[in-house]
Amino acid sequence: MTIIAPRRAGLLALALAAAWTAPPAWAEIARRTPEGMAEIQLSFSPVVKAAAPAVVNIYARRVVTRRPSPFAGNPFFERFFGQAMPQGRRVENALGSGVIVTGDGLVVTNHHVVGDASEIRAVLADRREFDAEVVLSDPESDLVVLRLEGAENLPALELRDPESEGVEVGDLVLAIGNPFGVGQTVTSGIVSALARSRAAPGGGAGYYLQTDAAINPGNSGGALVDMQGRLLGINTAILSRSGGSIGIGFAVPSALVRQVVAQAEAGRSTLARPWSGLSGQPVDGAMAEALGMASPEGLVISKIHPLSPFASAGLARGDVILAVDGRPVGTQAELEFRLAALGLGETAEVAFLSGGTARAASLALASAPETPARDPRALVGRTPLGGLTVANLNPALAHELGLPLGTEGVAVVEVARPTGRAGLRVGDVIRAINGRDVANAAQLERLARKGPYPEEVRIERGGRHGVLRFRR
């Protein structure tokens, strides 16, 4: 039990009375009833009318080849299983949404909606239909740019960068798309977070705008717009245990969408990203204390490639990257997003801590270098390695294959079926053959062609080392 002294009780009673008789202004505003028909009829419809015509429904068809049943063609088994016998090819249909970003028919959608599709069709809000072809595809960001064949003078959405143009957590937003194939649907919510780093649908790391506007299957590739009908992001993923929306949705920010569209208009078929050439980890409380920082912020560099533009700008292992062009950096995904949104050929200003001292540097953004040369070699002959294509690893190839920063050696870049059955995969790094270390692709070709039959091949896969043994 809490006992309050008489004097303190009296003061407390006066304070409570004052608080009760004079409610704060925000409480009065929050609780007042609408005044007049104008306020009762407030609606999102003007925003929807402006934005919805630029959101399209996407229908994609792809032919999937699967391994035929070993019993296919056998009259005995077909007699019992009939049409249930697995076939070698089947057609899959995908459903999603897209956003028109230029009047001449460029549409942005998700890679997981149209990836590998043989037929793509877009249906506008006014029911016009267009065949579409892929102009640029980027599985890493899960974005694709389509061109609508024969389209002109289409409604297009203006892009708004959530960070540079004043978007804040709590701002109202609308999600427009085609959930579950029911037709164009609009849901409302707020911006829940401006910066979320999480696993991307394609398996990589992504950087997202988070919203609680309902996003469901079929909304993928649709628009997240502000109250002026401007595009904040492309709806891409949801966090859900049931497959339905629970109010945690993610959109690719329009800053990256703008870069993807610009490169598509320039004629590129893939997104060219600046190379960071480093890996790091977010600064936590213990790390901040060890580094003498007042609070945990930034990304501490744990590994940096000698050819990295950050190394050329004077950064080193143990330095903490705080911001790129004035925008904070807290994770590896956030850093990669900042660079990708800026684009190749640009100059970025980097704020960082080195030895506890705040510093700044400028770095030129460029793609990963092709040093040393790949020098691809196709291995032939009666050998378990026959059918492989191998190449020298360099930063560009290592990034393409998803290998850790600084991985060197000779990598498998193509695998024919016979070698695939031997257990080798694209991305495997061949370290030695019959106890002899492999230095480059040319040496590996000589060993496979002239050396003894490879009875033992030492490889590295996913950071683990293993040995493949073969018999004559």
Side-chain angles (χ1 to χ4, degrees), residues 252-445:
V252 178
S254 59
L256 184 58
V257 175
R258 180 180 283 113
Q259 183 61 226
V260 168
V261 173
Q263 293 198 25
E265 291 180 314
R268 293 195 59 89
S269 60
T270 58
L271 181 64
R273 283 178 166 79
W275 181 59
S276 66
L278 61 81
S279 60
Q281 55 184 327
V283 176
D284 57 20
M287 197 178 298
E289 185 178 355
L291 294 171
M293 300 172 61
S295 61
E297 60 177 328
L299 181 76
V300 62
I301 300 174
S302 55
K303 191 173 185 179
I304 186 167
H305 195 282
L307 299 178
S308 166
F310 286 87
S312 301
L315 280 78
R317 184 173 179 269
D319 290 348
V320 179
I321 301 174
L322 300 176
V324 172
D325 267 12
R327 302 186 184 183
V329 169
T331 65
Q332 184 78 35
E334 193 169 2
L335 173 65
E336 302 298 340
F337 170 82
R338 301 281 185 226
L339 301 183
L342 287 171
L344 295 173
E346 298 295 326
T347 299
E349 299 298 322
V350 180
F352 66 103
L353 292 177
S354 182
T357 302
R359 298 186 180 182
S362 298
L363 63 148
L365 301 184
S367 53
E370 293 278 359
T371 306
R374 300 189 186 198
D375 188 24
R377 303 291 179 113
L379 307 182
V380 297
R382 297 178 61 84
T383 164
L385 302 183
L388 283 181
T389 300
V390 298
N392 296 323
L393 275 171
N394 56 37
L397 180 56
H399 177 75
E400 290 176 15
L401 297 176
L403 299 176
L405 179 70
T407 305
E408 299 177 343
V410 181
V412 177
V413 294
E414 187 177 340
V415 178
R417 284 188 176 183
T419 312
R421 287 198 295 267
L424 290 162
R425 306 176 187 172
V426 172
D428 285 347
V429 181
I430 299 178
R431 294 300 185 190
I433 295 179
N434 291 339
R436 296 184 62 180
D437 292 341
V438 174
N440 52 57
Q443 181 194 14
L444 177 55
E445 183 185 34

Side-chain angles (χ1 to χ4, degrees), residues 194-200 205-209 250 330-335 337:
L194 292 173
R196 282 288 187 260
S197 299
R198 65 182 297 274
Y207 179 82
Y208 299 99
L209 187 71
F250 300 95
T331 65
Q332 184 78 35
E334 193 169 2
L335 173 65
F337 170 82

Side-chain angles (χ1 to χ4, degrees), residues 3 7 10 20 27 42 47 63 104 113 124 130 145 196 220 225 242 244 252 329 331 360 364 366 372 396-397 452-453:
I3 300 175
R7 176 178 174 78
W20 178 262
L42 285 176
V47 182
V63 178
D104 59 354
V113 172
L124 275 62
F130 294 90
V145 180
R196 282 288 187 260
S220 294
V225 301
S242 63
V252 178
V329 169
T331 65
L397 180 56
Y453 185 92

Side-chain angles (χ1 to χ4, degrees), residues 109-153:
T109 185
N110 283 149
H111 181 272
H112 75 265
V113 172
V114 300
D116 302 322
S118 55
E119 298 178 30
I120 305 172
R121 197 156 184 80
V123 180
L124 275 62
D126 60 9
R127 299 187 181 181
R128 284 184 292 169
E129 297 186 14
F130 294 90
D131 290 327
E133 62 176 354
V134 174
V135 177
L136 181 149
S137 178
D138 184 53
E140 188 170 339
S141 65
D142 197 26
L143 293 179
V144 162
V145 180
L146 304 175
R147 181 174 294 281
L148 305 188
E149 298 177 5
E152 58 182 10
N153 299 322

